[in-house]
Amino acid sequence: MLVKWIRCTVVDRRGFERGQRKWAGLLGEPGFRGQGGGWSRARPGVVHLFAFWETRAFYDSFMARSHDRLAAAQAGTYKDAQVRLFEHRFDVKVGFRPQFTDADVVRFAHCRVHEERVEHFVLMQEKVWNPAMAGSPGMLRGVFGEAPGPEFLVLSMWNSEAEHGKYRQDRVERLGLRAQTEADVAAITGDVVQMEQAWTV
């Protein structure tokens, strides 16, 4: 499965939201699995969107055929668009499916990892972070993806911001020390995204 992460800064909120509804046209696309997103809780005007495709070939075919027609509705409503693609490595909690309707917030971390520490980083994700997240109340499901760089995306869906906040407060620092995250990671950015259900496809 291919995971696409889009980040942009919205300059015309009403126009952007109107255009976002046009992405319902994705539903007929071969290989399309789901899309959702919302507003950054920390950065005003910043939007994060996540789309899922069965394979890179299906995604490339969509980009060559239908993408520009769907995107035209949002022209001029945003700036600074950044797009990253990740290959699914494994689920965070079993049985991931790209469904957003039950999620209040999505938390993601984008990590650039030192080349010589990739193996350790992936192992710690499996042995330390995943079990901790999977066992946290309110954590619904998630996905761990990889891109050349080496870069990784850790995405988790939560049924409430309050439950995610408790997990962050109680466990993240301790888990980070145990997993030696600081030694593995060259750079990390992340955000908490308030989901907009009207944008879910």
Side-chain angles (χ1 to χ4, degrees), residues 63-136:
M63 290 301 289
R65 288 179 299 100
S66 314
H67 173 270
D68 291 358
R69 178 174 48 79
L70 292 173
Q74 279 176 313
T77 65
Y78 62 88
K79 61 179 185 178
D80 304 333
Q82 295 165 26
V83 176
R84 289 266 197 289
L85 300 173
F86 299 86
E87 286 290 343
H88 172 272
R89 276 289 298 265
F90 46 76
D91 294 350
V92 179
K93 203 169 182 173
V94 294
F96 178 80
R97 53 194 195 287
Q99 175 193 323
F100 295 90
T101 47
D102 53 352
D104 179 40
V105 295
V106 165
R107 158 73 188 166
F108 73 90
H110 174 223
C111 309
R112 293 180 194 278
V113 176
H114 298 294
E115 193 80 54
E116 71 282 3
R117 300 285 296 189
V118 165
E119 212 171 293
H120 182 265
F121 178 79
V122 173
L123 185 70
M124 291 300 100
Q125 186 64 41
E126 278 189 279
K127 303 287 186 225
V128 176
W129 291 103
N130 277 15
M133 271 195 275
S136 294

Side-chain angles (χ1 to χ4, degrees), residues 2-3 7 26 35 63 66 71 84 91 98 111 144 148:
L2 187 75
V3 185
R7 177 193 192 277
L26 283 165
Q35 179 170 287
M63 290 301 289
S66 314
R84 289 266 197 289
D91 294 350
C111 309
F144 179 75

